[in-house]
Amino acid sequence: MSFFSEFKEFAVKGNVVDLAVGVIIGGAFGKIVDSLVGDVIMPVVSKIFGGLDFSNYFIPLAGQTATTLADAKKEGAVLAYGSFITVSLNFIILAFVIFLMIKQVNRLRSAPAPAPAPAEPPPTPEDIQLLREIRDSLKR
């Protein structure tokens, strides 16, 4: 089998294609969750905690005096724990949504399937029938 035919067989297998679709959908879904957290949830959380913007929570490590994270990063190293809070919240929301999706898929999969009709046994081969007749004749 040539290299290219082996590669073609590998690339068009269902698992590889399913994985590629999953990665693409996951990337798009990640952007939706980022927007949900950044544009909907974090402003509400920020309002609850007094109008603070978590994205600008940082500790300057190089003695910066900047008031925003972007300016502080230009001046030197910073520990941006506000960004970590936002990304952690993204992860929790994404994990929860995936949990709900998997739970629903498992519920649908575990629906009882109709019982298959009992299959008729295959006909007995002729040589077995002949051997049985011989056995029965010898018993008599």
Side-chain angles (χ1 to χ4, degrees):
M1 186 179 270
S2 73
F3 176 79
F4 291 109
S5 61
E6 285 182 55
F7 177 74
K8 179 182 174 187
E9 181 182 336
F10 166 77
V12 297
K13 280 185 178 178
N15 294 342
V16 174
V17 175
D18 291 344
L19 178 63
V21 169
V23 168
I24 292 168
I25 296 293
F29 190 69
K31 290 180 183 180
I32 291 171
V33 171
D34 285 342
S35 176
L36 175 68
V37 170
D39 300 333
V40 177
I41 294 173
M42 289 309 282
V44 172
V45 171
S46 176
K47 183 70 174 173
I48 291 171
F49 288 107
L52 300 173
D53 183 12
F54 284 105
S55 64
N56 282 317
Y57 282 10
F58 64 93
I59 298 172
L61 300 177
Q64 302 94 319
T65 58
T67 58
T68 65
L69 179 61
D71 293 339
K73 282 185 175 181
K74 289 178 188 175
E75 295 177 16
V78 295
L79 181 67
Y81 66 91
S83 295
F84 178 74
I85 292 170
T86 303
V87 170
S88 297
L89 192 57
N90 280 358
F91 172 76
I92 290 168
I93 292 170
L94 185 61
F96 181 70
V97 170
I98 290 174
F99 166 74
L100 292 176
M101 289 172 34
I102 297 293
K103 187 174 178 178
Q104 290 301 318
V105 168
N106 287 340
R107 186 178 63 84
L108 293 174
R109 282 187 183 169
S110 66
E120 292 185 22
T124 307
E126 186 178 338
D127 57 343
I128 301 293
Q129 287 177 351
L130 288 173
L131 288 171
R132 286 181 183 166
E133 289 176 11
I134 294 171
R135 181 194 63 198
D136 294 342
S137 295
L138 289 174
K139 282 185 181 178
R140 287 185 241 160

